[in-house]
Amino acid sequence: MAKDVKAGEGELRARHVAIIMDGNGRWAKKRLLPRAVGHQRGVEAVRRVVRGARELGLEALTLYAFSTENWRRPEDEISDLMSLMKRFILSDLDEFAAAGVRLKIIGDYKAFKPELVELVEGAMAKTAHNTGTTLAVALNYGSQDEIARAATRAAAKGPITPETIAAELDTADLPPLDLLIRTSGEVRLSNFLLWQAAYAEMLFTDVLWPDFTADHLRDALSAFTTRERRYGGR
Ligand code: FPP
């Protein structure tokens, strides 16, 4: 049996899924709507997928919400994304907290406005002891930056090895990444979970993020259970 993968009645079950949520802009453009509406509908997809992840018993769901490169977007779009995140926490935290979801942030989120940092930290504190699905939201996240930070911390403690670096990554307390999904037809990792994806399965779908549903997630997990993972062996 492959290491680090739970077997349920002989099948491989994904424990940790990550998603590059792409295509909000194209979804809006196709409908002649402002990009902001695409992002709003993207948040609705986040809501559906977090509920789905809980119901499917995933241990961790990691979502790429804001990359270190996203600062290059126009100021009004950045501010739309920030206020959507704020509103999402304010409107959904109670439901997720009651359902046992633990909120975690990966990335250097302290670069955001103090108001958002405070809100995010309050949400993390409120859910810190929950033992259901961990929702890890990547904010101001870049994988190369994460690896550099982890390597610096590992070096300060002793010899650098893959294990000592992995222990310092932002995702150190999450199960190994099983499946990485990217929506909207783009086939690249865009500086997301480069280290963690070493043995992950990849799924690239043409579905635009605002159209992504819990059923898409369920189908992706079913496809995962039928894949044979070799970890370099045979
Ligand atoms: C990519 O679409 C999407 C983003 C850069 C942001 C993702 C953010 C959300 C779904 C909302 C906030 C998240 C949470 C967790 C509440 P794009 O704008 O790059 O689309 P395009 O490539 O079609 O232009």
Side-chain angles (χ1 to χ4, degrees):
M1 213 207 95
K3 70 175 168 97
D4 292 332
V5 178
K6 250 193 204 166
E9 317 229 349
E11 65 180 21
L12 297 178
R13 284 193 50 194
R15 301 168 65 193
H16 181 185
V17 174
I19 310 182
I20 302 177
M21 310 180 287
D22 197 8
N24 295 349
R26 275 162 288 165
W27 185 94
K29 197 171 178 191
K30 266 184 22 187
R31 290 163 178 78
L32 307 176
L33 292 167
R35 287 181 72 79
V37 178
H39 291 316
Q40 280 164 23
R41 300 298 284 261
V43 175
E44 287 168 28
V46 169
R47 199 169 276 133
R48 290 194 294 269
V49 167
V50 176
R51 284 186 187 137
R54 265 204 298 114
E55 285 163 16
L56 291 161
L58 271 186
E59 285 175 50
L61 173 72
T62 301
L63 299 178
Y64 205 4
F66 196 89
S67 73
T68 44
E69 288 73 32
N70 284 153
W71 293 110
R72 292 190 211 128
R73 296 195 175 206
E75 239 171 77
D76 60 339
E77 183 172 359
I78 295 175
S79 119
D80 280 344
L81 285 168
M82 300 293 146
S83 50
L84 281 174
M85 276 179 241
K86 247 190 277 174
R87 267 189 275 154
F88 174 73
I89 294 176
L90 291 170
S91 61
D92 287 51
L93 182 66
D94 286 348
E95 177 193 325
F96 290 147
V101 172
R102 176 175 78 107
L103 178 72
K104 173 183 169 73
I105 303 295
I106 62 169
D108 187 10
Y109 69 92
K110 292 194 176 164
F112 289 137
K113 291 207 172 122
E115 196 192 339
L116 183 55
V117 171
E118 208 176 292
L119 193 63
V120 160
E121 289 183 339
M124 284 196 287
K126 183 174 168 143
T127 60
H129 301 294
N130 282 352
T131 54
T133 305
T134 296
L135 170 63
V137 180
L139 290 181
N140 192 26
Y141 175 87
S143 193
Q144 292 173 342
D145 171 66
E146 177 196 27
I147 294 167
R149 286 189 281 108
T152 306
R153 283 196 294 265
K157 292 183 184 169
I160 296 194
T161 67
E163 290 73 26
T164 63
I165 292 179
E168 299 293 338
L169 292 171
D170 295 353
T171 54
D173 61 337
L174 300 181
L177 181 63
D178 294 307
L179 176 64
L180 180 83
I181 301 173
R182 183 172 189 147
T183 58
S184 92
E186 309 289 342
V187 183
R188 57 178 176 273
L189 294 182
S190 301
N191 202 14
F192 187 50
L193 302 180
L194 302 180
W195 183 287
Q196 296 85 341
Y199 290 104
E201 298 285 326
M202 310 268 167
L203 182 84
F204 297 95
T205 168
D206 288 338
V207 175
L208 301 175
W209 177 249
D211 291 327
F212 199 86
T213 64
D215 285 339
H216 290 115
L217 179 66
R218 190 185 311 271
D219 290 348
L221 292 177
S222 307
F224 174 86
T225 62
T226 64
R227 294 188 191 181
E228 191 187 345
R229 300 171 83 199
R230 296 186 200 277
Y231 298 96
R234 4 181 352 206

